[in-house]
Amino acid sequence: MKNAIFIDRDGTINVDNHYVHNISEFYFIDNVINAMIELKKMNFFLIIVTNQSGIAQGLFTQKEFMSLTRWMISYLQLYCIHINAIYFCPHHLQGTVKQFRQNCLCRKPKPGMLLDAKKRFNINMDASYMVGDTANDMLAGQLAGIGTNVLVRSGKKNNKKS
């Protein structure tokens, strides 16, 4: 069995600038690349699990999401970081794009994306981690039987005035 780090994207890997869907809006959070390098050295599978309701809301297309995802993967490969899998949920009940307006099993806090990865890669969920920036990320990890759930606040904008 493999041990994995399940990682949310927006607010965990990159700064959450609301519906990030192109390269010019994508900013890696400070030290996230260094953290991923260390996790790979520890032989963890790195699996991104991300809700992308902007697709269902018609704010960007699945093709635009995939283009940004390919760029992100290529950029991380420059640092010898291999992302083992990316799971995303394009659904939302209030979506304006009919094909994505649905109640699904993959939208966090439901654990569908994590459970699909568990089955595909034979993951030891007890020894794995869910890292995210929302309560929905933590609940998805708990419902999937993840051993350790880590809530981070690194992707939130600092509203302090200086």
Side-chain angles (χ1 to χ4, degrees), residues 32-111:
V32 75
I33 291 174
N34 292 334
M36 290 176 144
I37 290 169
E38 293 303 313
L39 293 169
K40 287 307 275 188
K41 285 180 185 176
M42 298 167 68
N43 293 317
F44 279 102
F45 256 51
L46 296 183
I47 300 172
I48 296 172
V49 287
T50 178
N51 287 345
Q52 293 295 320
S53 67
I55 296 169
Q57 295 174 54
L59 300 173
F60 54 94
T61 66
Q62 193 166 334
K63 184 177 178 180
E64 288 172 305
F65 168 78
M66 294 306 297
S67 177
L68 175 60
T69 299
R70 282 190 296 276
W71 173 84
M72 180 186 69
I73 289 169
S74 294
Y75 190 86
L76 291 171
Q77 286 175 341
L78 295 174
Y79 295 90
C80 299
I81 299 168
H82 173 69
I83 301 298
N84 295 93
I86 297 177
Y87 290 82
F88 71 100
C89 174
H91 308 116
H92 196 280
L93 278 175
Q94 282 78 46
T96 57
V97 179
K98 187 176 182 182
Q99 74 184 92
F100 298 118
R101 184 176 53 234
Q102 59 180 281
N103 188 12
C104 62
L105 298 175
C106 57
R107 183 169 177 77
K108 293 180 290 180
K110 293 179 183 171

